[in-house]
Amino acid sequence: MSSVESKKIIAMAIDPIHIGTGGFTIGRVDNTIVRDPITRIPKIPGSSMAGTWRYYVALELQSSFKDEYKQDRKKREEKKENIQELFNAPKEWMKNFNGNRFSAIKCAGQDDEAESTLEESKEKLGHCGHCIVCKSFGFSKKDLSNQGMLFFSDLNILFFPVYTRLGVKWITSPKLLDKDIAIQENKILTSKGDEKYLNLGWLNLEVQRQHNLEDSDLQSSKLKLDDIIIVPDSLISQIINANLEVRTSVSIDPITGAAKDTALFTSEAIPRGTIFCGEVRGFQRDNGLLNLDDIFNALNDSKQYYESLGVGGMTTRGFGRMKILGALNEKS
Ligand SMILES: [Zn+2]
């Protein structure tokens, strides 16, 4: 029997987030970010989420092995009946699945080495193919590959911070909220509805009325209804793109340690405080040997790595950290 379960992912940027497109230049920005091809609104691709979360679950699992078992897979295999003895304070999802005894730090990676033509290097470097990381996120090893049980959607912007004369407010639109909301062209809705005019960045817009959103519309974002401004779908992309963070950095010559000539470059990023929304779907497979509850628990227990290691590029320059809000293992 196969089943599908999906969990909502709500996340908040703690730093500016830069998911690069690989050196495109738009206007005066050298390092541009990934955008939806149709709306032009920046996003975090599902592939970035799958890649980072894979790494973080592997890290959590690996760091839970007792020191004597960290490198020694043979020793782990000897503990046939007692998988829980391999770990310090094992979580349920670690000891529930026998395949976890084969896990190695190499399971964390994209596994480019599996493409290697050297038989020996395939043996040494490939994914283990057995552990919760490999089974959930997919693996390729030798002649065997498997596409995994988890599929991540893109994380799209749900609420985006902009400066107004009343302080920072978060804009959204009917489409981003996935709601039918009547709003006139070039006007905005606020929680009070009586500001007459309000600036969003440099753009001054007329307030049409109250937005009447409810607390449930805020998801687990921790924003308040008073923080939210709804703008028409026709304006949201333009306002977001006009209020992205643009940073100028200097390239350092690694040999001289000094700034290179003509080394100034600019990078755009999604600003801190932005709230994203997406989902992860889990497909039950494998005769139920590895169940979805354990997988979602593994995601939940490793989500805190996003707050230290982050997602995307330039994480050594203060970009990329974010917080996954809400629990992924709650029944939805
Ligand atoms: Zn593995």
Side-chain angles (χ1 to χ4, degrees), residues 54 102-104 107 127-135:
R54 172 185 198 117
F102 302 105
S103 191
C107 300
H127 291 142
C128 86
H130 300 288
C131 71
I132 190 168
V133 180
C134 291
K135 293 286 187 190

Side-chain angles (χ1 to χ4, degrees), residues 8-32:
K8 198 173 267 184
I9 300 172
I10 304 291
M12 180 185 68
I14 303 174
D15 290 330
I17 292 181
H18 176 94
I19 315 271
T21 52
F24 272 97
T25 301
I26 296 182
R28 306 194 54 189
V29 177
D30 299 313
N31 294 324
T32 53

Side-chain angles (χ1 to χ4, degrees), residues 192-203:
K192 293 200 179 70
D194 61 359
E195 294 90 345
K196 297 213 162 60
Y197 280 87
L198 190 60
N199 70 303
L200 305 176
W202 49 266
L203 196 63

